[in-house]
Amino acid sequence: MNHTKGGLVIFTANSHPSSRELGKRIAERLGVELGKVQVYQEPNRETRVQIQESVRGKDVFVIQTVSKDVNTTIMEMLIMVYACRTSCARSITGVLPYFPYSKQCKMRKRGSIVSKLIASMMCKAGLTHLITMDLHQKEIQGFFNIPVDNLRASPFLLQYIQEEIPDYRNAVIVAKSPASAKRAQSFAERLRLGIAVIHGEAQDAESDMVDGRHSPPTVKTTGAIHPSMEIPLLIPKEKPPITVVGDVGGRIAIIVDDIIDDVDSFVAAAETLKERGAYKIFVMATHGLLSSEAPRFIEESAIDEVVVTNTIPHELQKLQCPKIKTVDISMILSEAIRRIHNGESMSYLFRNIGVDD
């Protein structure tokens, strides 16, 4: 049954066969067929897109999931959006459940804010609206000059906890670093559970020098300033010993975060929680990048289960590690597409979501 008005076309912009699964799920929920398009790589590694049906005057939705070759993923998206624009589509909405380069959203030393560059490229290509999920930093929405709907996967993860963890009432929600404490607090308040925070573990580079605009010199130099003025140097950071703020003894520990990619910090957190008496350890995250040797490290670790959504295809990782479980979020994406196409309010999808969620 078709749940939308006419003039809707849905394309999947990823040339990887396994990545088309999410697009098929969304199209089935909406009662429409996927649009006919060819996306492939030329022998010289150039990306070619050929749209094989008319999109003139129609609402086009381009679904793109991130494969291992993230740069090819971005080019496929840009070229398809531009092709729809030059074919006189009425509107072009990008559906990127995981926004690539979202971790590079802050200035570090002499680097660059890459997510701002990606946002500018997408808008320039012709994107008129963006649907994404659990941006690494909500402020990334400000990089776009088009409407951005940043959906949440937490309702699906909370439902998994309630339905698949029989004794979840004996659980405690854990933030593996103070930076993820807000997310852990949100989960804990909705489940009426306690919270614990791991502090003092080896932090990612992201938490060190996040501003990047201050590079204190090793030697005091006053040649460029007035002799009576001396800029004080920053005191170098020293990480404290690992501590767990909160009681996890004899409890189920549920670590929550938005992205799980390099799993070293999650494995270290699980070992710490095991030492403090947690008898079962779960990891819940929206985006399961699970790069490199992540499946093997998870399989050999104290983690009992890793639960991620299908914003990113990870079938190969699941074959390598049975501990990895998937939650389907195609329902909320298809509902967002339906509401945008029919001109309905999106507020229903953001009910009970606070500013800090």
Side-chain angles (χ1 to χ4, degrees), residues 138 152 154 186 189-190 350-357:
K138 292 186 291 294
R152 303 295 195 275
S154 54
S186 175
E189 289 175 351
R190 284 166 167 76
F350 294 96
R351 66 195 187 282
N352 300 325
I353 292 177
V355 176
D356 295 329
D357 288 348

Side-chain angles (χ1 to χ4, degrees), residues 55-222:
V55 297
R56 182 179 295 273
K58 296 182 179 180
D59 292 332
V60 176
F61 291 82
V62 180
I63 300 171
Q64 178 66 308
T65 54
V66 177
S67 63
K68 287 186 177 181
D69 190 352
V70 63
N71 297 323
T72 299
T73 294
I74 293 170
M75 284 306 300
E76 288 176 350
M77 181 74 177
L78 293 174
I79 295 172
M80 179 168 286
V81 168
Y82 189 66
C84 293
R85 176 188 173 185
T86 54
S87 298
C88 301
R90 181 172 64 180
S91 66
I92 308 168
T93 302
V95 183
L96 280 85
Y98 171 69
F99 186 72
Y101 284 96
S102 60
K103 282 191 172 183
Q104 298 189 45
C105 61
K106 296 180 180 179
M107 178 66 75
R108 298 189 188 91
K109 296 187 178 180
R110 296 173 182 85
S112 60
I113 305 176
V114 183
S115 54
K116 166 63 176 174
L117 171 64
I118 302 299
S120 300
M121 292 167 63
M122 289 182 177
C123 294
K124 189 69 175 178
L127 210 63
T128 60
H129 200 131
L130 178 68
I131 300 173
T132 187
M133 181 166 282
D134 282 331
L135 287 170
H136 186 57
Q137 296 289 339
K138 292 186 291 294
E139 292 76 10
I140 293 175
Q141 291 177 265
F143 294 163
F144 292 83
N145 56 12
I146 58 174
V148 177
D149 288 313
N150 182 26
L151 304 176
R152 303 295 195 275
S154 54
F156 299 91
L157 297 176
L158 290 169
Q159 184 181 42
Y160 184 93
I161 293 173
Q162 293 173 319
E163 295 180 355
E164 302 297 330
I165 305 178
D167 46 352
Y168 81 93
R169 289 295 181 187
N170 187 38
V172 59
I173 305 299
V174 180
K176 70 178 179 67
S177 69
S180 56
K182 283 186 178 180
R183 180 179 295 271
Q185 181 182 0
S186 175
F187 272 67
E189 289 175 351
R190 284 166 167 76
L191 293 169
R192 311 296 192 268
L193 300 176
I195 185 173
V197 181
I198 300 175
H199 180 56
E201 81 279 15
Q203 300 288 332
D204 296 330
E206 181 176 357
S207 61
D208 298 329
M209 303 281 288
V210 291
D211 192 1
R213 288 170 291 185
H214 52 283
S215 299
T218 55
V219 181
K220 295 182 180 180
T221 57
T222 58

Side-chain angles (χ1 to χ4, degrees), residues 38-52:
Q38 277 191 326
V39 183
Y40 58 94
Q41 304 294 315
E42 297 277 15
N44 61 359
R45 300 293 297 166
E46 289 183 359
T47 299
R48 184 174 290 276
V49 173
Q50 292 183 344
I51 297 176
Q52 298 176 322

Side-chain angles (χ1 to χ4, degrees), residues 26 30 62 66 102 165 169 209 224 271 274 276 292 300:
I26 292 173
L30 292 172
V62 180
V66 177
S102 60
I165 305 178
R169 289 295 181 187
M209 303 281 288
E271 291 174 356
K274 207 76 172 178
R276 300 301 194 278
S292 189
E300 298 171 355

Side-chain angles (χ1 to χ4, degrees), residues 13-20 41 45 64-76 98 100-101 104 260-261 288-296 311-320 324:
N14 203 305
S15 58
H16 198 280
S18 64
S19 300
R20 293 174 58 86
Q41 304 294 315
R45 300 293 297 166
Q64 178 66 308
T65 54
V66 177
S67 63
K68 287 186 177 181
D69 190 352
V70 63
N71 297 323
T72 299
T73 294
I74 293 170
M75 284 306 300
E76 288 176 350
Y98 171 69
Y101 284 96
Q104 298 189 45
I260 176 168
D261 186 7
L289 274 69
L290 301 169
S291 302
S292 189
E293 296 294 314
R296 181 173 64 84
T311 56
I312 297 172
H314 49 263
E315 294 305 317
L316 291 177
Q317 289 89 331
K318 289 177 70 174
L319 292 175
Q320 300 172 46
I324 301 172

